[in-house]
C-alpha cells in the first residue's frame, strides 16, 4: 500500500445527505420554503419516491423511508467519487465494514449512479457514489 493513500483520494467532495421522510411532500415543501429547489425526482424499488433538493451546492436526497421522526434521522452522507471501483478496492483492502451489497446501481440523474456504503464506528453510513 502506498504511503499516504486514503479512501477519499479520488473523491471530489460532499455529494448529498440522505434524509428519510414519512411525508415526502411535506418534507419537500419545508425545504423548498427554506430556499432549496427540486432538481430531480424518481421512483425506485417498489415505487419508493426519491426527491433531490439543492441549495448553493448542498444537495439533500429526501425519500420515503425509515428512521422517521427521531432526532438525528439523517440516514447517510454521500461522497462524490470519481472512480467507485478504485474506492471499493481500497475499502476492501482496509477492511472497512461494507454494508451495501457490493457496488450497487440506481437510476438516478441522467445516466444513473454506482455506489457502495461503509459503516463508521458510530453506525453512520458513508456512501461513496459515482455519477455515470
Amino acid at each position: 500500500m502506498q504511503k499516504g493513500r486514503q479512501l477519499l483520494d479520488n473523491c471530489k467532495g460532499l455529494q448529498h445527505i440522505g434524509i428519510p421522510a414519512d411525508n415526502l411532500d411535506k418534507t419537500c415543501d419545508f425545504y423548498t420554503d427554506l430556499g432549496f429547489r427540486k432538481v430531480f425526482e424518481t421512483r425506485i424499488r417498489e415505487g419508493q419516491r426519491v426527491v433531490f433538493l439543492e441549495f448553493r451546492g448542498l444537495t439533500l436526497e429526501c425519500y420515503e423511508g425509515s428512521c422517521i421522526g427521531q432526532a438525528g434521522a439523517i440516514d447517510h452522507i454521500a461522497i462524490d467519487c470519481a472512480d467507485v471501483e478504485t474506492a471499493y478496492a481500497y475499502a476492501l483492502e482496509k477492511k472497512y465494514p461494507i454494508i451495501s451489497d457490493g457496488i450497487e446501481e440506481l437510476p438516478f440523474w441522467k445516466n444513473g449512479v454506482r455506489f457502495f456504503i461503509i459503516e463508521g464506528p458510530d453506525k453512520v453510513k458513508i456512501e461513496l457514489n459515482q455519477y455515470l
Side-chain angles (χ1 to χ4, degrees):
M1 183 169 80
Q2 295 170 230
K3 186 175 182 178
R5 185 171 163 229
Q6 297 180 341
L7 177 64
L8 301 182
D9 279 353
N10 76 355
C11 295
K12 305 176 207 175
L14 179 66
Q15 190 182 85
H16 66 266
I17 298 171
I19 302 174
D22 64 344
N23 182 326
L24 189 56
D25 292 325
K26 185 176 178 180
T27 297
C28 289
D29 288 347
F30 173 78
Y31 286 107
T32 300
D33 192 53
L34 288 178
F36 283 79
R37 64 185 177 83
K38 186 188 299 187
V39 293
F40 185 76
E41 181 171 355
T42 191
R43 290 185 180 270
I44 60 170
R45 299 188 179 100
E46 293 81 36
Q48 179 188 28
R49 287 178 56 212
V50 180
V51 175
F52 287 85
L53 302 147
E54 191 271 336
F55 177 76
R56 297 185 184 171
L58 172 60
T59 303
L60 304 178
E61 174 192 7
C62 300
Y63 56 91
E64 299 169 330
S66 58
C67 301
I68 302 155
Q70 300 175 21
I74 291 174
D75 180 66
H76 65 275
I77 298 170
I79 305 297
D80 192 18
C81 193
D83 181 354
V84 74
E85 297 282 344
T86 299
Y88 187 74
Y90 184 80
L92 289 172
E93 179 182 321
K94 293 292 286 185
K95 297 181 174 40
Y96 291 135
I98 297 171
I99 59 173
S100 58
D101 188 17
I103 296 174
E104 299 184 35
E105 288 190 33
L106 284 171
F108 291 168
W109 308 108
K110 184 177 178 182
N111 299 311
V113 297
R114 294 184 75 219
F115 67 96
F116 69 96
I117 302 169
I118 62 174
E119 185 175 68
D122 298 311
K123 304 282 185 198
V124 173
K125 291 188 256 181
I126 308 296
E127 177 181 310
L128 286 291
N129 193 316
Q130 179 182 359
Y131 294 118
L132 301 177

